[in-house]
Amino acid sequence: MKVCVIGNGAREEALKEAVKNSPLCSELVESPDENPDLIIFGPEQPICDGLVDYYQSKGIRCIGVNKQFSKLESSKLYAKKFMVENNIKCAKLLPVECDIFPQVVKADGLCKGKGVKVVFSQQEKDEFTRKLNMPYFIEEFLDGHEISLMSYFNGSKLINFCPARDFKKLSEDAHSPNTGGMGAYCPVDLTQNQIDKLHIYLNKLETALINSKADFTGFIYSGLIWTKEDWYVLEYNVRLGDPECQVILNLLDNDFLSILLNNEDPVYKKGYSACLTIAANGYPDNPVKGDEIILPNSDKVKVYFAGVKKVKNKIYSDGGRVLSICSFGEKPFEILYEYAKKIKMNNKFFRKDINIF
Ligand code: AMP
Ligand code: GLY
């Protein structure tokens, strides 16, 4: 099969690597103009713009959510309606003027993970909503541990990947802003009760998709929080998470394309798979760009480029999230931190507190 992966971040680098390593792929092409047999969509923007519907109408097989269901990510209010109609637990909506804190402000549009903030005071709420510059709503604050549960809907059933944990905040400070993701690991160790409730939730999601006549093959990401002895949905994305995709693909022991095309269930290696984001100072608002990067050699760490520019034989930082470094084993973060410290890049920034828990 001739395969094209749309997108060019660290998640897509990992996807391209998995596709290239698959015996089902004869050629990996750069663009949909090169007549691929299959297009896999990475980021949400082309999905929400309706490009899956477009390429499908040209007869190309696509892995990506269609325009109608992309609203699960592009409109948080549409997602809320989907959850309520299908009896899926989620946070309650509150009146916009509600003055009980903490509460959660959510922009109703695509914001690359930066349109949500837990606010602890009226002042924090006012500052954030003024900056947002788009419609928003307020919801109840839920307290608990979060997991990212990524699934593949193959048109008739859900194939679920193991739970991953993502570190969304810029730092360990509860008031720090949300980012696209500063690190991740998988699998997440869950209690039997949590596993049982997860199966119940995933069955509900599958039934909801089937009952709402979902006719696509694509990824659905459920952002879940464990609270009040059950899983509550915080958000849906219509794509794989970044950096969650990198950690799942590096834990897989079977062929990723076989999962997508032959209904195979994922099989995993033993141990933990981890990823640490190397960002640039100033991220998420104003990242410093243009630093030369020199990477140490290591056979234990894989480096995916997230925001990097290549000029001749040199590489330079060119975005907020710059590198996604991945490792695998019993204590992968120890390996990643040792490596991260040795990366040469003037305005390098990474969280120092990420670990498996
Ligand atoms: P979202 O993009 O909706 O997942 O929100 C980003 C992050 O904000 C989540 O990963 C949570 O850490 C936090 N968050 C969102 N909604 C809530 C909520 N209702 N209660 C507590 N935290 C939330
Ligand atoms: N890492 C969170 C996301 O991709 O939405």
Side-chain angles (χ1 to χ4, degrees), residues 2-25:
K2 209 164 154 183
V3 187
C4 173
V5 174
I6 296 203
N8 45 27
R11 168 184 51 210
E12 289 76 21
E13 272 213 28
L15 282 169
K16 286 174 193 173
E17 177 187 58
V19 168
K20 250 196 271 181
N21 287 337
S22 167
L24 298 175
C25 170

Side-chain angles (χ1 to χ4, degrees), residues 76 91 104 106 116 118 139-142 146 168 178 225 234-235:
K76 286 186 185 286
V104 187
K106 291 199 168 180
V116 174
V118 179
E139 72 176 28
E140 156 197 32
F141 171 76
L142 300 175
E146 291 176 44
K168 289 200 176 74
N178 277 324
I225 191 163
L234 292 181
E235 66 164 337

